Every structure is written in structure tokens, then in C-alpha cells.
Amino acid sequence: MRLLHTSDWHLGRAFHRVNMLGAQTGFIGHLVTTVRERGVDAVVVSGDVYDRAVPPLAAVELFDDALHRLADLGVPTVMISGNHDSARRLGVGAGLIGRAGIHLRTEPSACGTPVVLQDDFGDVAFYGLPYLEPALVKDEFGVEKPGHEAVLAAAMDRVRADLATRARGTRSVVLAHAFVTGGEASDSERDITVGGVAAVPAGVFDGVDYAALGHLHGCQTITDRVRYSGSPLPYSFSEADHRKSMWLVDLDADGAVTAERVDCPVPRALARIRGTLEELLADPGLARHEEAWVEATLTDAVRPADPMARLTERFPHTLSLVFASERTPDDPDVSYARRLAGRSDQEIAEDFVAHVRGAGPDAHEQGVLRDAFDTVRAEDAVREVAR
């Protein structure tokens, strides 16, 4: 069976101030063409179909168009909700849509109930594990302390239990939306840390032939059987070096996996350039970036006049301007944003405690802070679901 593995469409998202709907439409067209021309037997979409719980109408219309075009091909599609999606909204009409071969899996309680497809060698069971917010699903899975590893492990126990009841030789594919150990993050993914831990070990997926992952935006191989497709389009300048693609996966009669990357259309190259304003305007080596979307980091000791206007004369698609004069992080004149760059909410809170009272929090206090952040994040997730 030949699978096309994709994820993290983020329909409705912009890239800085650039509307990406045209590029997203182009990707959907490329996806449909790939399915038709490469003999794909099933499409798997591993979450974050939309960029937010209540997407704009244009994004909903594009999703509707994608579903119709995939259904018209007669190629089954299995799709899960991600942490950006409203699972309840995405799952509306799932039973009816399933009759057209589009299988939406958004309910945690259905993790152990697969979509079963057939090829010349027998059955392939597709298990959809939507994004599992630990605080919201801990009771469903009977875990005492909510955490990503605990709830995913419990969901996978249901998968393996169901698989054990099926005919010998049944092959298996799991769709999951999670941060798996060994994966490389970018700046455009929403933080899903719980209890100070975001990642789960790849061993959670032992026992299935292929785990089609979503959440991280870079295409990457954790193991031969555990892969991220990444997002089909860039959503931050941290993805400037990404090669955007999908996985074309062949699952043979014995469940062995071979995979090929299929490149996605590139609407415009990304470039990150750094130097003083005069250096950036004069350097002939930067000519190759003149038509790219540009993030420029200026290292001038004193901010120059009209830097964006001057930069866009040479780089008309400059979208981001960062000031980072060559100062050490502890220099009092270094910006607040730069001092906080790369630090988690937990670390920032601990630094604040140390600043106010002269000593950082002890282990118990660190736990209190961690629980507070987890509670707020879970409450935010509940509010999004209820919207």
C-alpha cells in the first residue's frame, strides 16, 4: 500500500504580514496531483489542518475544496485534529463525510478503533490519535498524573490491544500529533510542554508498522518507522533551511517501510541576513536574496535612520527587522526581548523570583510554578474547545 503522509497545513495562517492562502491553495493542488500521478492508495493528514480553533471562512472553504477533490479521486483519506484545531469543529459531520472516504478522527475515545483499508496483501489498520491534551484526557485514559507520555502510552495500549484481535498479518499505521524525542522544533510550533516535559520517546509507537507524525514543522526521520512530514509551507524564519515536502511511503506485504520525499511548491525562498545596514546594502554576495522573503538582523551600534525603507529598496520582500547590536546579553542596554529570547515561561518566572527576593525558587516552588503554568495552558485549551 502506498501512503502519502502530510500534516500541519495551518490553513488560514499568514507568514508575518503575507497572506498565505494562495500558497496553501497551490499546495492542495500539488497534493491532489501527487495522489493522482504517483498511484497513492491512501492519504494521511496528521493534524493542525487549521491554524486556530475558529478559522477564517476562506480557510474553511479551502478545506472543503480539498475534501471534495480527494473524494473525487476515490482515494481514502485519514485525518486527525492537532493542537491548533478545534477537535469538535473539525469532527462535525465525520460520520457522513466518512461515507465519501474521508475519515476524520478527532475523538480520543476512538483511538483504538481503526479505519481498515485493503490492498492485494490484506488489511491495513489506520489508527487516528488526535492531539491528546493531557489535562483533558487523563480520565478517559485512566492516568493518574497527566503528561504526554502517559496519555500517548495509554492510547497506544488501546491500539495494540485492538491490533492483537485482528487477523494475523494485518499491517498498521498510526497517526499522531505530538513532540517525539529526537525531533527538531522550529519557532512556529505552539508550545505543548506539560510538567516541564514536551517530548515523548519514540518507543511509545512500538508494535505498529508506521507512525505518521504531525506537530513539528521540519520533515524528519526519527526512525525508519517513525517520521514527521513537516509543514508544507514555512511559517517562521527559523524554517529558512527546511526542505518542505511530504512522505510517499510504501508498506509491503510484510509491513516493511520504504519512504521517498516529495517536494512541495516553494512560493518564495526565505533568507536570514545579518550585519550593519551599510554592509547589507553593499554586499554583492547577498544578491541571491533580493527576491526572497527576508529577515534582516542589524548589528549597528546605533540604530540607523529609516532602516526598513532603505532595506526594501534592495530587498523589496523584507518582512522582519531585528536589532541586535554587538552587546553581551548582560549589558543593561540590551533589549528586554533579546534577554528573554529562547527562554521558557518557567525560566522567566524563576528569574523573576530570583530578581525580587535575591534567591531563586527551591524545588517545591519550581513545582508550584510548573503546575500553575500547566493549569493555565489547560484552561486555555478548554476555552478554545468551548468557543
Side-chain angles (χ1 to χ4, degrees), residues 132-172:
L132 302 174
E133 175 60 50
L136 302 184
V137 302
K138 62 183 180 66
D139 293 336
E140 167 66 32
F141 291 105
V143 299
E144 293 183 6
K145 186 174 182 181
H148 289 292
E149 183 174 355
V151 296
L152 265 177
M156 284 300 302
D157 285 344
R158 294 189 184 184
V159 168
R160 285 184 283 264
D162 179 83
L163 195 55
T165 68
R166 299 194 173 271
R168 184 175 181 180
T170 298
R171 289 152 294 157
S172 54

Side-chain angles (χ1 to χ4, degrees), residues 36-346:
R36 183 176 59 246
E37 295 183 351
R38 298 300 301 271
V40 171
D41 299 306
V43 177
V44 295
V45 186
S46 299
D48 281 355
V49 175
Y50 292 122
D51 189 56
R52 57 182 187 264
V54 185
L57 179 59
V60 177
E61 290 174 339
L62 179 54
F63 178 60
D64 181 65
D65 178 64
L67 296 188
H68 277 86
R69 295 172 73 179
L70 288 168
D72 287 345
L73 291 175
V75 175
T77 298
V78 185
M79 185 177 295
I80 61 172
S81 49
N83 62 301
H84 280 249
D85 299 308
S86 166
R88 289 173 63 186
R89 280 187 169 83
L90 188 64
V92 168
L96 185 61
I97 294 171
R99 298 180 188 179
I102 308 293
H103 306 280
L104 299 173
R105 291 295 183 263
T106 63
E107 291 292 335
S109 59
C111 284
T113 304
V115 176
V116 181
L117 304 178
Q118 291 82 32
D119 64 7
D120 292 341
F121 305 107
D123 290 347
V124 181
F126 290 78
Y127 297 90
L129 279 56
Y131 172 66
L132 302 174
E133 175 60 50
L136 302 184
V137 302
K138 62 183 180 66
D139 293 336
E140 167 66 32
F141 291 105
V143 299
E144 293 183 6
K145 186 174 182 181
H148 289 292
E149 183 174 355
V151 296
L152 265 177
M156 284 300 302
D157 285 344
R158 294 189 184 184
V159 168
R160 285 184 283 264
D162 179 83
L163 195 55
T165 68
R166 299 194 173 271
R168 184 175 181 180
T170 298
R171 289 152 294 157
S172 54
V173 175
V174 165
L175 290 72
H177 197 86
F179 190 164
V180 174
T181 304
E184 183 176 343
S186 62
D187 292 341
S188 52
E189 298 115 7
R190 183 180 295 170
D191 181 26
I192 59 171
T193 301
V194 172
V197 179
V200 300
V204 164
F205 300 104
D206 286 351
V208 297
D209 294 308
Y210 185 70
L213 301 183
H215 179 58
L216 299 185
H217 288 183
C219 180
Q220 46 203 299
T221 300
I222 306 300
T223 72
D224 286 343
R225 296 184 181 275
V226 180
R227 299 172 187 263
Y228 283 99
S229 67
S231 63
L233 294 166
Y235 293 113
S236 73
F237 276 102
S238 66
E239 300 168 55
D241 294 330
H242 286 190
R243 174 187 162 197
K244 295 301 183 181
S245 58
M246 303 176 285
W247 284 113
L248 194 66
V249 177
D250 287 321
L251 199 62
D252 75 7
D254 298 319
V257 170
T258 56
E260 171 192 347
R261 290 179 72 175
V262 178
D263 290 330
C264 294
V266 178
R268 190 178 295 277
L270 270 59
R272 303 178 102 173
I273 59 178
R274 182 185 181 94
T276 67
L277 178 59
E278 296 304 326
E279 289 170 345
L280 299 185
L281 294 177
D283 186 352
L286 298 180
R288 67 187 186 279
H289 299 316
E290 290 176 355
E291 294 303 316
W293 281 324
V294 168
E295 178 186 72
T297 299
L298 299 184
T299 60
D300 302 75
V302 177
R303 293 194 182 192
D306 300 322
M308 181 61 89
R310 295 175 65 190
L311 275 169
T312 54
E313 289 180 2
R314 183 179 187 191
F315 307 102
H317 304 288
T318 301
L319 300 182
S320 175
L321 186 57
V322 180
F323 295 97
S325 59
E326 301 297 346
R327 295 182 174 129
T328 60
D330 56 357
D331 188 319
D333 291 329
V334 169
S335 73
Y336 181 69
R338 188 179 171 198
R339 290 199 298 272
L340 298 187
R343 301 184 68 76
S344 67
D345 291 342
Q346 177 88 14

